[in-house]
Amino acid sequence: ERATRFLRSVVTGDVHGTPGTKGPGTIPLQDQHLALAILLELAVQRGTLSQMLSAILLLLQLWDSGTQETDNERSAQGTSAPLLPLLQRFQSIICSKDAPHTEGDTHLLSGPLSPNESFLRYLTLPQDNELAIDLRQTAVVVMAHLDRLATPCMPPLCSSPTSHKGSLQEVIGWGLIGWKYYANVIGPIQCEGLANLGVTQIACAEKRFLILSRNGRVYTQAYNSDTLAPQLVQGLASRNIVK
């Protein structure tokens, strides 16, 4: 805690406890950048959400104060810092709940990529670690990684239009499931694509199973099918099935 307080005071320029009297210009910019890098690394090491959000707020605060400088050169320096190693570190963090399966199987039976997943997938970081990057953009990327790490820990969100707002549902499959590459699983697996339908009832037959969703639609899925999602039974689409 003492180290964090000291580093924060170096970064903000109020080492003597009198913010605003001398301003951040009294501390060499290189020292401020080094203190900021260590402070953010400490936040990652501590691994608590409150520490990371506090660090993100600090980045936004520094960017905001840097843009208000009257000297143009100082303004450019005040809104950026060489923090690429931090972003590379976040890129390498794997969520402990991520399934150790092939990448092609990860999104099987699930919807399209979220905007956040698309953003991180197509984000290319510069190679030069000494390059100063925008502090506000750094905060956005860190938030995107926090969202990525939190998503696998959330139960799937039910997207059925007739379900209660924000209701969550979990559907578990076990046994010979053909639409998974690792078909003959030895334990239960989560079926996010089925949970997204909002399941009321599942009936298992010899070669396929039927799903009744909360909005009265019937879907079918063969055990050995390679389709990515259950198929709507068109013959029953005009009726509201209740059981």
Side-chain angles (χ1 to χ4, degrees):
E1 289 288 351
R2 288 200 302 271
T4 299
R5 281 198 300 271
F6 171 71
L7 290 168
R8 193 179 183 93
S9 66
V10 172
V11 171
T12 55
D14 50 339
V15 177
H16 305 291
T18 52
T21 54
K22 295 186 177 181
T26 58
I27 299 175
L29 188 64
Q30 188 175 1
D31 291 349
Q32 286 184 300
H33 286 171
L34 179 61
L36 179 61
I38 298 174
L39 183 64
L40 295 175
E41 177 65 27
L42 272 178
V44 177
Q45 289 281 351
R46 297 170 80 166
T48 63
L49 184 60
S50 61
Q51 288 292 327
M52 286 313 309
L53 294 179
S54 176
I56 288 168
L57 286 174
L58 176 62
L59 288 173
L60 296 176
Q61 174 190 333
L62 291 173
W63 187 91
D64 195 45
S65 61
T67 55
Q68 294 174 1
E69 296 283 345
T70 54
D71 183 357
N72 287 335
E73 183 181 353
R74 176 64 199 171
S75 176
Q77 292 176 331
T79 58
S80 59
L83 296 175
L84 275 172
L86 175 80
L87 299 186
Q88 290 165 352
R89 177 176 174 83
F90 268 101
Q91 263 188 342
S92 64
I93 297 177
I94 306 297
C95 178
S96 58
K97 287 202 172 188
D98 282 344
H101 308 305
T102 59
E103 186 177 347
D105 185 40
T106 304
H107 299 292
L108 213 64
L109 274 181
S110 64
L113 288 177
S114 70
N116 186 67
E117 289 173 313
S118 300
F119 170 66
L120 290 177
R121 177 166 293 197
Y122 293 106
L123 175 67
T124 304
L125 297 178
Q127 298 297 316
D128 184 10
N129 284 350
E130 300 301 318
L131 187 68
I133 56 178
D134 187 83
L135 297 180
R136 188 162 66 170
Q137 291 180 1
T138 303
V140 169
V141 176
V142 172
M143 282 297 293
H145 280 293
L146 291 180
D147 178 86
R148 171 182 66 85
L149 294 170
T151 299
C153 303
M154 294 288 290
L157 188 64
C158 176
S159 58
S160 170
T162 56
S163 65
H164 296 295
K165 186 177 180 181
S167 65
L168 303 173
Q169 190 173 54
E170 208 169 20
V171 179
I172 304 297
W174 196 341
L176 185 63
I177 301 174
W179 31 261
K180 287 286 184 183
Y181 292 142
Y182 46 101
N184 201 7
V185 292
I186 59 173
I189 57 170
Q190 287 193 352
C191 308
E192 292 90 347
L194 303 186
N196 290 338
L197 295 175
V199 176
T200 298
Q201 193 176 3
I202 294 180
C204 297
E206 185 178 352
K207 295 183 179 180
R208 65 181 63 245
F209 59 91
L210 296 175
I211 302 159
L212 177 60
S213 68
R214 292 182 185 175
N215 60 359
R217 298 291 176 263
V218 178
Y219 297 83
T220 180
Q221 175 77 45
Y223 297 128
N224 60 352
S225 171
D226 57 358
T227 56
L228 298 184
Q231 304 298 305
L232 178 67
V233 178
Q234 296 294 341
L236 298 174
S238 61
R239 297 172 177 269
N240 183 36
I241 308 300
V242 295
K243 191 175 178 68

